[in-house]
Amino acid sequence: MSALICEVSDHIATITLNRPERMNTISSAMLDELTRTLVAVNEDPQVRVVILTGTGRAFCAGLDLNEASSGEGIGGANRKFPATIDLRNTPPTVLFAMDKPVICALNGSAAGYGMDLALGCDIRIMADNAKLAAAFVKRGIVPESGGTWFLPRMLGWAKAAEIIFTGRTLSAADCLAEGLANHVVPANEVAAKARAMAEEIAANAPLAVLASKRMMRMGLDESFETHVQHVYLQLLPLFASEDFKEGVQSFLEKRPAAFKGR
């Protein structure tokens, strides 16, 4: 049984963590496979939206601590670590650099690395019985995969500090109230809600959606004046695209647009 499943249909790629017996904990082999899969769907011209989810009762319970305790795997005593990492080959940076929108369908709880993985997605749809557990300091580590970057930006310094320093667990209601979850629905409706949102996004002009995400990401580190200039430069090729012509024509003709991504 594959620990990671990727299926593409109707311009939507669904990536499923598939170790339900281990609550979808991430092994070192899964990290490599997840990176390759994210790169592949981002480069696939047929894919317009990505859904990341899990099987069983958890989305992802973090890194595989059993593997680490055996001396092997991530954090294992027998594992040698280089002084630096290749940022092109780590799931958090690959996920952050993706131009395709990514929806996290939290079928269950996420802890540690799983929480960071969820925060790295653009949109989170969460089961009402799911939780986010920032248990890093309780295990003797830091939020190693983006949490220290995402949470202060999403929540502000003080709230992020409280969650990270205490290793607090947040309920689905907490996540919705704080803006960490876009929607909270019954567990049996998570997949359908994520799919419906993915279909809504996929129906739009894909080049414009990709450009919008790219501009949002660039804007995190730019002055307003610089950002306006970059947006203008991004508009020029979009004005020349077939999709722009189709968008205008479909509006004038009062019909749904049929975008082709060119």
Side-chain angles (χ1 to χ4, degrees):
M1 182 177 66
S2 175
L4 198 72
I5 300 171
C6 181
E7 300 172 321
V8 179
S9 65
D10 299 325
H11 301 298
I12 300 168
T14 301
I15 302 172
T16 306
L17 305 178
N18 190 39
R19 294 180 80 198
E21 75 287 354
R22 297 286 307 133
M23 296 181 69
N24 297 322
T25 51
I26 304 286
S27 66
S28 53
M30 280 179 72
L31 281 179
D32 295 336
E33 188 177 0
L34 180 57
T35 297
R36 292 193 300 271
T37 303
L38 290 172
V39 170
V41 297
N42 196 50
E43 293 178 347
D44 187 343
Q46 295 303 312
V47 174
R48 299 182 181 180
V49 188
V50 179
I51 297 173
L52 181 62
T53 191
T55 53
R57 61 191 180 94
F59 167 67
C60 176
L63 299 176
D64 191 337
L65 297 182
N66 281 352
E67 188 182 53
S69 65
S70 71
E72 305 298 333
I74 304 161
N78 298 332
R79 182 89 179 266
K80 295 186 181 299
F81 295 94
T84 59
I85 61 173
D86 186 344
L87 296 179
R88 298 168 300 176
N89 297 315
T90 60
T93 52
V94 170
L95 181 61
F96 180 76
M98 288 180 66
D99 286 332
K100 307 285 174 73
V102 183
I103 299 170
C104 185
L106 284 145
N107 55 295
S109 295
Y113 185 93
M115 176 175 173
D116 279 0
L117 194 61
L119 294 179
C121 298
D122 301 300
I123 295 168
R124 281 160 294 283
I125 296 172
M126 197 169 181
D128 57 5
N129 60 353
K131 298 177 181 180
L132 292 183
F136 303 93
V137 296
K138 294 181 183 296
R139 306 291 179 261
I141 57 173
V142 299
E144 80 286 349
S145 302
T148 50
W149 194 91
F150 288 119
L151 283 174
R153 286 166 170 78
M154 292 176 170
L155 302 178
W157 185 277
K159 287 185 178 180
E162 181 178 351
I163 291 168
I164 293 172
F165 300 165
T166 62
R168 185 159 297 164
T169 295
L170 304 174
S171 68
D174 293 333
C175 292
L176 186 64
E178 297 292 354
L180 294 178
N182 295 72
H183 301 277
V184 170
V185 298
N188 62 355
E189 297 178 14
V190 170
K193 180 71 173 179
R195 184 76 187 187
M197 183 171 291
E199 290 172 350
E200 185 177 358
I201 295 171
N204 293 322
L207 296 179
V209 173
L210 267 61
S212 296
K213 180 174 177 180
R214 192 179 303 124
M215 291 297 96
M216 289 171 65
R217 187 172 62 241
M218 291 175 64
L220 292 171
D221 299 310
E222 292 180 331
S223 68
F224 181 73
E225 292 82 1
T226 299
H227 189 68
V228 169
Q229 178 68 13
H230 285 155
V231 169
Y232 173 72
L233 294 175
Q234 186 67 72
L235 277 172
L236 298 180
L238 292 177
F239 281 146
S241 69
E242 293 182 23
D243 279 354
F244 174 68
K245 297 181 181 64
E246 169 62 11
V248 172
Q249 195 64 30
S250 63
F251 173 77
L252 294 175
E253 296 175 0
K254 296 180 172 56
R255 61 171 174 81
F259 295 117
K260 298 180 180 179
R262 57 178 186 260

